[in-house]
Amino acid sequence: MMKNKLFQALVLGLALVACTAKKAPTTRIRMRLPTEPPTLDWDLATDNVSKEIIFNIQQGLLRHDADTKPIPALAESYEISKDATAYTFKIRKDAKWSDGRDLVAQDFVDAWERVLNPKTASEYAYFLFDLKNAKEYQSGALKDFSQVGVKATDAKTLVVNLKGPTAYWLHIPAFWISFPIRKDIVEKYGDRWTDVEHIVSSGPYKLKEWHRDSKIVLELDPNYYDKQADRIPEVEFRIVKDDSVAVSLFETGDLDIVRNLPPSQLRSLAKTPEFRSSPYLRLTYFGFNIKDPAVADPKVRKALAMAVDRSEIEKLLTPMAKASAVWIPVDLAGADAERGIKTDVAAAKALWAQVKNPPKELEIWFDQNETYKLVAENLQNQWSRNLGVNVKLSSQEWKVYLKQLSTKAPAIYRMGWGADYPDPATFMDLFTCASGNNFTGFCNATYDKNIQQSGISTDPALRQKLYSEAQKIFLEDETAIIPLFQEQSMHLVGSRVANFKADLIGDFFFDRLRFK
């Protein structure tokens, strides 16, 4: 009798699963988010989770196409001066905010002033430092924002003046830190301006619902300039913290798109027709807070780096990870395979023996994620095995973890960096003295000079040389970080989704997707 009841329950459960899959909403596409977005304020956002929402509700002068080339967006056209220092953007006449108000050039000026205002404390402010006088204004040395190189010459014309020719700059107007903002909304609602009832945006979708730690729903913005009739009406981001649970929801038809796949299932998932994999300009590393007494000695950091066999981690995470000791990904110009500290356990032990008071115990921090837990455990094992160090592990939820890093980074921490645009500058700018995303405490004048010179150079050979020298400084001489692996972009994509293509930056846009 009990067996019959269990059998009936199992059949009923399977029927419910089948029913769920058949009743997938025809108006809504559903994607998994691994955690609650830390913020939807695009002047303050620094992470990929927040980006998923921001890139669909908001837009910039330009956007990237599927091949990561900048194309017109809120600007219908642009002109570049002969000396490549002045950019003139013409805003679309039909560009509007989600509340129906015309979008004007001054909205960009207001946004960039807010980003560069020292009181805003935007960690991405350095992305605008190529503008004339931008760095000086952000540092407080210049008080008059009208001296910064951005002007609204009329309602629909924005003129940008750079300090000098900048090889990668056309990608910046496609990145969220350059997106326009409604100054009146921010001033009226303060920290609550991104709440559902207040937020005003200019992208293809607008925020409809935000249920904290549960789901976020977007709906098409009727005021958006591109009014293609077959766009997907609604997007639901469901917050599912466990990777395996997310895969199960995909398999039952409750999710259409899943990224951040569980490492224990990667090999089997890679054999399914729903699995999508493509090159990805993203690296995972463990960084050092070089000011922390535990790792302040460069010999300690270098020995720890030499004691890591990255091939062990690659085997753990196949097919997601490809071991990498360098910082500029191999797919980018400027990459140099000779840079970085390679595995040499014997040399690591010898160097460790030279340290006067080597730490007997270390703590490594990472964000709560199955993949990074495996990586941290592997490092724990390798450093214990190779150097005799007792290693403790500490993990935190993503939002809390980010706040900790920006306040005071622990001695050793896990972090990743994905390209914001397809140029080595996006990786190398990260560790300049002025970078708000540099949690290492590393600050080197020669490094900064190389990065500045490479940014304004259009000579590929010179840029290669400058970047190679800079990588040597912070990877080998100072060992501020230990790069571990370059990722593949991996997703599960449901059979009813068409036009899915992740670019080199790992992005895709919902207004380009369709239902089959």
Side-chain angles (χ1 to χ4, degrees):
M1 186 71 173
M2 183 64 71
K3 288 183 178 179
N4 285 338
K5 287 183 177 179
L6 287 172
F7 177 75
Q8 290 170 2
L10 178 61
V11 170
L12 179 60
L14 291 172
L16 287 172
V17 166
C19 220
T20 301
K22 289 178 182 177
K23 291 184 178 179
T26 57
T27 61
R28 182 176 292 187
I29 196 166
R30 302 150 305 167
M31 180 175 170
R32 177 260 181 128
L33 279 185
T35 185
E36 175 86 3
T39 182
L40 294 188
D41 184 336
W42 44 88
D43 287 350
L44 300 178
T46 63
D47 67 295
N48 279 330
V49 178
S50 302
K51 179 183 75 170
E52 299 282 13
I53 313 298
I54 290 169
F55 265 163
N56 287 286
I57 64 172
Q58 185 60 325
Q59 209 164 79
L61 294 161
L62 308 178
R63 68 189 304 198
H64 285 127
D65 67 11
D67 298 313
T68 63
K69 295 178 181 177
I71 58 173
L74 294 178
E76 61 185 2
S77 64
Y78 60 88
E79 294 180 357
I80 306 175
S81 64
K82 289 183 179 180
D83 64 357
T85 63
Y87 291 69
T88 302
F89 295 92
K90 289 293 183 180
I91 312 297
R92 293 179 183 274
K93 292 183 176 64
D94 55 353
K96 294 182 180 295
W97 290 95
S98 55
D99 64 354
R101 202 200 81 172
D102 280 351
L103 188 143
V104 295
Q106 186 62 38
D107 296 326
F108 288 93
V109 178
D110 292 340
W112 297 7
E113 180 175 8
R114 182 172 183 252
V115 168
L116 291 169
N117 190 317
K119 294 180 181 179
T120 305
S122 173
E123 293 181 18
Y124 263 126
Y126 67 97
F127 266 51
L128 297 179
F129 282 2
D130 294 307
L131 273 65
K132 182 180 177 183
N133 289 328
K135 186 175 182 179
E136 291 76 7
Y137 181 79
Q138 200 274 337
S139 70
L142 177 69
K143 304 298 183 183
D144 183 4
F145 187 77
S146 68
Q147 301 302 308
V148 176
V150 58
K151 299 284 188 303
T153 57
D154 61 45
K156 293 290 184 175
T157 305
L158 186 76
V159 177
V160 178
N161 289 284
L162 306 183
K163 292 184 292 186
T166 305
Y168 55 82
W169 197 81
L170 206 54
H171 292 286
I172 301 300
F175 185 63
W176 73 69
I177 203 65
S178 71
F179 289 175
I181 207 161
R182 280 282 294 277
K183 186 177 180 179
D184 59 319
I185 299 295
V186 176
E187 290 181 345
K188 183 175 181 179
Y189 298 109
D191 293 341
R192 304 296 301 273
W193 80 268
T194 57
D195 289 357
V196 176
E197 62 270 28
H198 304 319
I199 191 169
V200 177
S201 54
S202 63
Y205 292 89
K206 62 180 182 177
L207 193 61
K208 180 181 181 182
E209 302 172 27
W210 188 351
H211 305 277
R212 305 287 171 168
D213 289 311
S214 176
K215 67 179 180 179
I216 294 173
V217 179
L218 314 181
E219 63 181 349
L220 282 174
D221 179 2
N223 291 306
Y224 183 60
Y225 63 85
D226 185 352
K227 304 187 186 302
Q228 296 180 52
D230 58 344
R231 286 184 298 156
I232 292 169
E234 291 186 324
V235 177
E236 177 183 322
F237 293 93
R238 194 175 302 180
I239 298 167
V240 183
K241 295 185 178 181
D242 186 274
D243 294 345
S244 297
V245 171
V247 171
S248 296
L249 289 170
F250 178 84
E251 290 172 340
T252 60
D254 290 304
L255 287 173
D256 298 295
I257 301 173
V258 174
R259 73 161 100 208
N260 303 103
L261 306 177
S264 59
Q265 299 182 48
L266 284 178
R267 289 174 178 83
S268 58
L269 290 173
K271 298 175 183 177
T272 65
E274 296 86 5
F275 181 79
R276 308 291 179 86
S277 179
S278 58
Y280 191 14
L281 299 177
R282 181 174 178 81
L283 288 148
T284 287
Y285 68 93
F286 271 76
F288 296 109
N289 176 358
I290 67 173
K291 307 295 185 183
D292 191 293
V295 294
D297 188 337
K299 290 180 180 178
V300 169
R301 304 194 297 270
K302 183 173 274 190
L304 288 169
M306 287 191 292
V308 175
D309 183 351
R310 295 172 180 82
S311 67
E312 291 187 18
I313 297 171
E314 182 177 320
K315 289 175 185 176
L316 274 177
L317 303 180
T318 300
M320 184 190 84
K322 181 69 175 175
S324 176
V326 301
W327 183 234
I328 297 177
V330 294
D331 306 280
L332 280 180
D336 186 347
E338 299 304 312
R339 294 275 67 95
I341 293 178
K342 309 301 189 289
T343 305
D344 190 336
V345 176
K349 290 179 177 179
L351 186 59
W352 195 259
Q354 296 176 26
V355 179
K356 289 184 178 180
N357 295 298
K360 293 181 173 58
E361 183 175 279
L362 290 170
E363 186 173 24
I364 57 179
W365 287 45
F366 59 96
D367 43 311
Q368 290 174 353
N369 176 287
E370 184 180 346
T371 297
Y372 303 134
K373 182 173 184 289
L374 282 175
V375 174
E377 288 173 344
N378 181 268
L379 289 181
Q380 179 187 46
N381 181 275
Q382 291 202 54
W383 285 339
S384 174
R385 186 175 74 229
N386 296 332
L387 298 175
V389 185
N390 179 34
V391 179
K392 296 172 64 178
L393 304 182
S394 179
S395 66
Q396 291 181 325
E397 187 267 335
W398 179 238
K399 188 192 300 187
V400 177
Y401 186 73
L402 275 183
K403 186 174 182 179
Q404 175 64 47
L405 290 184
S406 61
T407 304
K408 183 183 178 182
I412 307 174
Y413 62 91
R414 199 287 320 173
M415 201 61 185
W417 191 257
D420 296 312
Y421 48 87
D423 188 276
T426 186
F427 289 92
M428 301 302 285
D429 284 354
L430 180 64
F431 294 104
T432 58
C433 298
S435 168
N437 291 309
N438 179 4
F439 308 125
T440 65
F442 167 81
C443 178
N444 183 283
T446 303
Y447 178 93
D448 280 17
K449 183 178 179 181
N450 278 33
I451 303 311
Q452 190 272 333
Q453 289 179 341
S454 60
I456 62 175
S457 174
T458 56
D459 181 351
L462 178 58
R463 295 189 84 204
Q464 173 83 30
K465 177 178 179 294
L466 291 167
Y467 281 137
S468 181
E469 291 174 355
Q471 282 200 86
K472 181 180 183 299
I473 292 170
F474 92 101
L475 289 180
E476 300 169 30
D477 300 343
E478 294 292 333
T479 317
I481 67 169
I482 306 175
L484 293 177
F485 57 86
Q486 184 173 342
E487 297 182 26
Q488 282 285 106
S489 177
M490 299 186 304
H491 297 80
L492 294 177
V493 181
S495 58
R496 70 191 190 122
V497 179
N499 296 357
F500 180 91
K501 181 185 178 182
D503 61 24
L504 281 171
I505 303 174
D507 294 333
F508 64 91
F509 299 92
F510 282 92
D511 64 313
R512 294 173 180 167
L513 300 184
R514 297 293 184 270
F515 284 129
K516 289 182 181 177

